[in-house]
Amino acid sequence: MELRDLKAFMSVVEHGSFTKAANETFVSQPSLSKSIKKLEDTLHVELLNRSTRNVELTDAGSIVFKQGQKIMRSVQDLHILLDDLLNIKKGSIKLGIPPLIGTLFFPKMAREFHQQYPDVHLELVERGAKTVGTLVENGDVDMGIVVLPTDERKFSVQPFVEDQFYVFINELHPLAQFNEIQLQDLKNETFIIFAEEFALHDYVIKSCESVGFSPNIGYKSSQWDLIVELVSSNLGITLLPYSIATKQTNNNVKMIPLANFDMPWRLGIITKKNTYQSYALKQLLNTIRK
């Protein structure tokens, strides 16, 4: 079996069509078809159901695709190992970071790392914290920043930062005159929170339930700045980490601490356990650790 033929098959499956795969890999469709047919002849199985317009895997194709992913990762690891052997301090690192965390911390992290290793490219993959864990587990990103706690059986965890939640509220709201707000005082308010794929979605709901009420959710968003704008329009209140105070500049919004309720926002850097770490990734982790 030739690696080139396996790559052709993987590309067609990943892109969902011969046309897209050909455009992305700069290989003609006839060449892709020829490679896949050659792979099928080598393995003595049919990999694709050719009776449909869309790319559809056979049972054998599903097995080959899953094993092919492992093979491709092994090939990638081979290049990483050889680069390290030659002490080449360059390459790329994929980071999975929720948008809010990326906004708050990634610019400084990237700037300091670039000053030390200008030839290492940092690729930011923005997803909700729940999804970031899956990306790290599947090897789609090299490291991620998530809301703790997380599954330490799967991941090596390095604590990153801890912050406290504040109530973000319109300055004309009756509660805006207080220096502190009890979480229970918000039981009749309309909440604006992150969407379901974000860890903060569950975190806010569970915190409210812990003091005896389920929040009335009026709006959900994947963008923290839109959430703040909705608060500014007096469409509801929200709970966000105090770190946002350094980024949000809306004068209509007040940030008030919670009284008698410890609601920490703990972040951690995760990498997959028992997985090889490139020289560049180790240096990035060291930079963040410092």
Side-chain angles (χ1 to χ4, degrees):
M1 181 176 69
E2 294 190 16
L3 190 60
R4 178 180 59 187
D5 298 331
L6 180 60
K7 283 183 177 179
F9 168 68
M10 300 291 292
S11 180
V12 169
V13 175
E14 288 168 352
H15 290 93
S17 76
F18 281 84
T19 302
K20 291 181 180 179
N23 291 336
E24 291 293 327
T25 60
F26 304 103
V27 177
S28 68
Q29 291 188 49
S31 295
L32 289 174
S33 297
K34 185 177 179 181
S35 289
I36 293 175
K37 184 64 173 66
K38 185 179 176 183
L39 181 62
E40 289 177 324
D41 291 342
T42 301
L43 299 175
H44 307 294
V45 292
E46 285 191 22
L47 301 175
L48 299 175
N49 181 1
R50 291 173 172 78
S51 64
T52 61
R53 294 182 60 184
N54 299 321
V55 171
E56 185 177 298
L57 288 170
T58 63
D59 291 341
S62 295
I63 292 173
V64 174
F65 180 72
K66 290 178 181 177
Q67 294 302 311
Q69 290 177 311
K70 296 179 182 179
I71 292 171
M72 291 305 174
R73 281 196 289 268
S74 295
V75 171
Q76 185 179 20
D77 285 348
L78 175 62
H79 288 295
I80 293 172
L81 287 164
L82 292 176
D83 283 349
D84 282 357
L85 181 65
L86 298 172
N87 199 28
I88 300 175
K89 299 180 182 179
K90 61 183 180 181
S92 63
I93 304 172
K94 282 188 175 182
L95 294 81
I97 301 181
L100 175 59
I101 298 173
T103 299
L104 296 176
F105 305 111
F106 181 73
K108 180 180 180 182
M109 182 194 313
R111 182 175 63 252
E112 293 186 4
F113 186 71
H114 179 73
Q115 290 173 352
Q116 300 179 65
Y117 303 96
D119 294 325
V120 177
H121 173 66
L122 299 182
E123 180 179 345
L124 186 62
V125 179
E126 289 191 291
R127 297 288 190 277
K130 295 179 183 177
T131 307
V132 168
T134 302
L135 292 175
V136 174
E137 184 179 1
N138 293 341
D140 296 321
V141 297
D142 301 302
M143 59 160 275
I145 300 181
V146 299
V147 178
L148 299 179
T150 189
D151 191 344
E152 298 194 21
R153 296 170 300 177
K154 298 177 181 178
F155 306 120
S156 296
V157 181
Q158 175 182 313
F160 180 54
V161 72
E162 182 170 318
D163 200 356
Q164 284 289 335
F165 278 83
Y166 274 55
V167 181
F168 284 57
I169 195 166
N170 187 279
E171 64 173 354
L172 299 178
H173 193 287
L175 293 175
Q177 62 183 307
F178 294 98
N179 293 324
E180 293 182 325
I181 295 178
Q182 302 274 352
L183 186 56
Q184 297 93 318
D185 295 336
L186 303 176
K187 64 181 179 181
N188 295 322
E189 301 297 327
T190 298
F191 278 71
I192 305 166
I193 66 173
F194 276 91
E196 285 83 351
E197 65 266 27
F198 294 86
L200 289 184
H201 174 275
D202 295 350
Y203 196 53
V204 169
I205 292 175
K206 289 178 180 177
S207 295
C208 293
E209 289 175 344
S210 72
V211 296
F213 74 95
S214 295
N216 173 34
I217 299 171
Y219 302 91
K220 299 176 186 178
S221 175
S222 61
Q223 303 296 325
W224 69 267
D225 48 352
L226 176 57
I227 291 175
V228 172
E229 285 301 316
L230 292 172
V231 172
S232 172
S233 299
N234 210 12
L235 294 173
I237 61 94
T238 192
L239 299 175
L240 289 172
Y242 183 73
S243 300
I244 284 290
T246 63
K247 296 294 182 182
Q248 88 88 13
T249 57
N250 197 311
N251 294 327
N252 295 330
V253 177
K254 288 192 66 177
M255 291 157 286
I256 304 174
L258 288 168
N260 303 319
F261 190 83
D262 188 28
M263 191 176 175
W265 189 50
R266 297 174 54 242
L267 305 179
I269 297 166
I270 62 170
T271 54
K272 188 176 180 180
K273 279 189 174 179
N274 304 317
T275 299
Y276 176 79
Q277 294 183 352
S278 69
Y279 176 89
L281 178 58
K282 290 176 182 176
Q283 296 311 305
L284 176 59
L285 291 172
N286 285 335
T287 299
I288 297 172
R289 191 175 294 119
K290 291 176 183 177

